[in-house]
Amino acid sequence: MEKKHDRGGTDLTEQVAAWFESFEKRFFNELKHNFMEDQQLDWQQLTHWHLELIAKVTALHAAEENEGNQQATDAVLSVEEALKMSADGLRGHRIYTLKNAENMVCDCIGDLHSDPESLMQLLKETGFIQSCLAGAPHRLVFMGDYVDRGKAHLALLGRLLTLKIAFPDRVFLLRGNHDGGIIEGPDQVKLPYRKPDDEPDEDYFPTYLIKLNKHHPETEPLLKAYLDFFNTLGQLAFIQTGEKITLAVHGGVPRPVLQDGHYFSYLKHLSELSDVNFIDAHGRTMVQNIMWSDPYKGSGELREGMGRYYFTEAQYDDFASTIGIDQMLRGHQYMDEGFECHFDGKVHTIFSSGTWPRLILNPMTAYPQVAAKWARILPSGGIEIHPKKTDISY
């Protein structure tokens, strides 16, 4: 069997075989806390390989930015209209438009947090690679938070970027609130979140890389390279399946502003949803807001003026009707069950790092109490939560 990829023309069988071989050779000993003790890993070679991966995926992301998609998101606020004007599988202003065919399977993945074991388990659970090799239409949408807290930051990123390179037309990477940082000076980085003082630096990707560099100076280029790479990630994806349009995003809706009975009348074009220059009254960018907001659970404060705030069902409904979506898939929050449905099934939270039914112990996760999940958007537009003991569909 010889399957050629649409964009690269590379034999997938050979590429996937090389991919798994690279995992074993390059990542077997790369764990969060063992960089001082590990004498076997060639950090110079590992650094070179990561820089190569970053360059390749950065180029893929640049090629995905399509002029027609940009014009569509600049022109309209209606997702349905933007989908009509946009090219499938590409993006404009870091907003993907995925127009899934009738027999297309689309799987959405929640937070992975430096847990490569869960990524590998997800590939088995979804059957993604087998589908691709068989030529079956199958897509993976990752909803951000690739780093921090788990046990192998670089191992997760290496696998993820290699996956994107192997299947560029089928893998889509969105940004989470943990995927970033700004270098402010030698050994100084401004994190996009507050790191608890009692949690070790090794638990967080940028500070981990700073410590790693002190022991292995050859890894010095990785910090800037990865922080720059995070800026190339997609912001959100509109997924059209059947008669339904799903918004995939890390957090939730933009900050609600009540004006004349509506919360989102200030929005004029879809491109504003990914505009880093769009600043709200609280000094937060639009990008920050949709990466940090959470569905309200009916008790406590809405935290309306805070960086991380809650949105109500009425606010979600207003946003959904304003841009024209039917449902939302998101990450950003962990829960022991690995998923949670909000607002009568209109919003679904998915968390994909944790334990798995076929994996007795996952030493890579920071969330052993979580039953990790992923979501499948069916060709009809319905959503199934996996893995499952019985069918969970909406």
Side-chain angles (χ1 to χ4, degrees):
M1 176 180 64
E2 185 177 358
K3 296 287 182 184
K4 300 295 184 181
H5 197 277
D6 297 339
R7 205 174 281 171
T10 303
D11 182 83
L12 286 182
T13 305
E14 295 179 2
Q15 197 166 60
V16 171
W19 174 40
F20 280 104
E21 183 180 358
S22 294
F23 286 171
E24 294 300 317
K25 287 184 177 181
R26 300 178 189 272
F27 292 126
F28 183 74
N29 292 317
E30 196 275 309
L31 298 176
K32 184 182 65 175
H33 291 293
N34 76 343
F35 56 81
M36 293 178 65
E37 294 81 5
D38 178 22
Q39 301 300 317
Q40 299 180 1
L41 200 59
D42 186 335
W43 288 101
Q44 184 173 1
Q45 184 186 41
L46 187 71
T47 299
H48 173 76
W49 194 61
H50 275 273
L51 293 176
E52 185 178 23
L53 291 176
I54 291 168
K56 288 181 177 180
V57 179
T58 297
L60 288 173
H61 285 164
E64 288 174 341
E65 280 290 327
N66 176 270
E67 184 177 355
N69 289 47
Q70 292 174 355
Q71 292 174 352
T73 56
D74 278 334
V76 298
L77 188 57
S78 164
V79 177
E80 184 177 6
E81 291 301 314
L83 285 163
K84 292 177 182 177
M85 294 186 284
S86 299
D88 178 41
L90 299 178
R91 67 188 199 181
H93 301 296
R94 297 188 296 137
I95 299 173
Y96 285 105
T97 51
L98 308 181
K99 296 182 278 191
N100 290 337
E102 185 176 337
N103 59 344
M104 175 73 73
V105 171
C106 184
D107 295 327
C108 293
I109 313 302
D111 300 30
L112 286 168
H113 282 298
S114 299
D115 174 9
E117 195 68 56
S118 283
L119 175 59
M120 301 308 292
Q121 194 66 28
L122 281 158
L123 295 179
K124 295 176 184 177
E125 292 268 351
T126 61
F128 173 73
I129 292 175
Q130 292 84 345
S131 293
C132 291
L133 294 178
H138 197 157
R139 284 170 162 166
L140 290 183
V141 177
F142 292 85
M143 299 186 293
D145 273 11
Y146 307 113
V147 295
D148 294 345
R149 295 181 177 149
K151 302 295 176 64
H153 311 293
L154 289 172
L156 182 280
L157 287 169
R159 286 162 165 79
L160 190 70
L161 270 61
T162 306
L163 184 66
K164 174 66 177 178
I165 293 167
F167 307 105
D169 299 324
R170 298 171 180 255
V171 174
F172 303 91
L173 306 178
L174 306 183
R175 188 174 187 172
N177 62 295
H178 278 260
D179 307 320
I182 300 172
I183 296 174
E184 295 187 321
D187 298 337
Q188 291 184 327
V189 60
K190 181 180 179 181
L191 301 174
Y193 45 77
R194 186 187 67 82
K195 185 182 86 67
D197 294 337
D198 60 344
E199 294 187 14
D201 288 342
E202 292 87 351
D203 282 358
Y204 293 86
F205 182 57
T207 49
Y208 161 74
L209 287 180
I210 289 173
K211 275 203 163 185
L212 184 64
N213 180 40
K214 292 180 179 179
H215 295 280
H216 301 283
E218 58 269 42
T219 65
E220 187 269 339
L222 289 179
L223 178 59
K224 183 180 186 304
Y226 265 117
L227 295 185
D228 288 344
F229 167 73
F230 290 146
N231 290 327
T232 75
L233 293 169
Q235 195 61 47
L236 50 94
F238 294 119
I239 306 168
Q240 187 176 45
T241 38
E243 296 182 354
K244 289 190 175 182
I245 297 175
T246 304
L247 167 60
V249 67
H250 181 69
V253 307
R255 193 179 299 275
V257 179
L258 186 60
Q259 296 174 333
D260 300 325
H262 294 280
Y263 293 99
F264 298 99
S265 57
Y266 66 88
L267 293 176
K268 305 304 179 187
H269 308 103
L270 289 174
S271 60
E272 292 171 339
L273 298 177
S274 60
D275 188 352
V276 296
N277 298 312
F278 195 108
I279 310 295
D280 67 17
H282 303 282
R284 301 279 178 165
T285 69
M286 180 71 77
V287 169
Q288 289 172 316
N289 286 341
I290 67 172
M291 287 196 299
W292 281 93
S293 58
D294 299 304
Y296 186 57
K297 296 184 179 181
S299 62
E301 298 292 329
L302 288 176
R303 298 166 57 91
E304 294 164 296
M306 304 295 288
R308 185 169 189 171
Y309 58 89
Y310 298 104
F311 57 93
T312 65
E313 182 173 5
Q315 291 166 344
Y316 168 78
D317 287 343
D318 188 49
F319 176 68
S321 64
T322 296
I323 66 171
I325 60 171
D326 297 288
Q327 55 195 2
M328 175 188 289
L329 277 168
R330 63 183 295 274
H332 195 43
Q333 292 177 293
Y334 81 89
M335 62 293 298
D336 290 351
E337 292 297 317
F339 80 102
E340 189 169 349
C341 294
H342 317 269
F343 312 151
D344 293 324
K346 290 177 283 191
V347 177
H348 315 267
T349 298
I350 305 295
F351 200 85
S352 299
S353 175
T355 58
W356 297 85
R358 299 173 185 82
L359 190 65
I360 297 175
L361 179 66
N362 179 5
M364 298 291 101
T365 185
Y367 303 90
Q369 78 281 16
V370 171
K373 295 291 192 299
W374 51 278
R376 171 160 290 176
I377 306 177
L378 302 173
S380 64
I383 292 176
E384 285 185 347
I385 309 298
H386 295 265
K388 53 187 179 178
K389 295 179 181 178
T390 58
D391 286 341
I392 305 173
S393 59
Y394 306 92

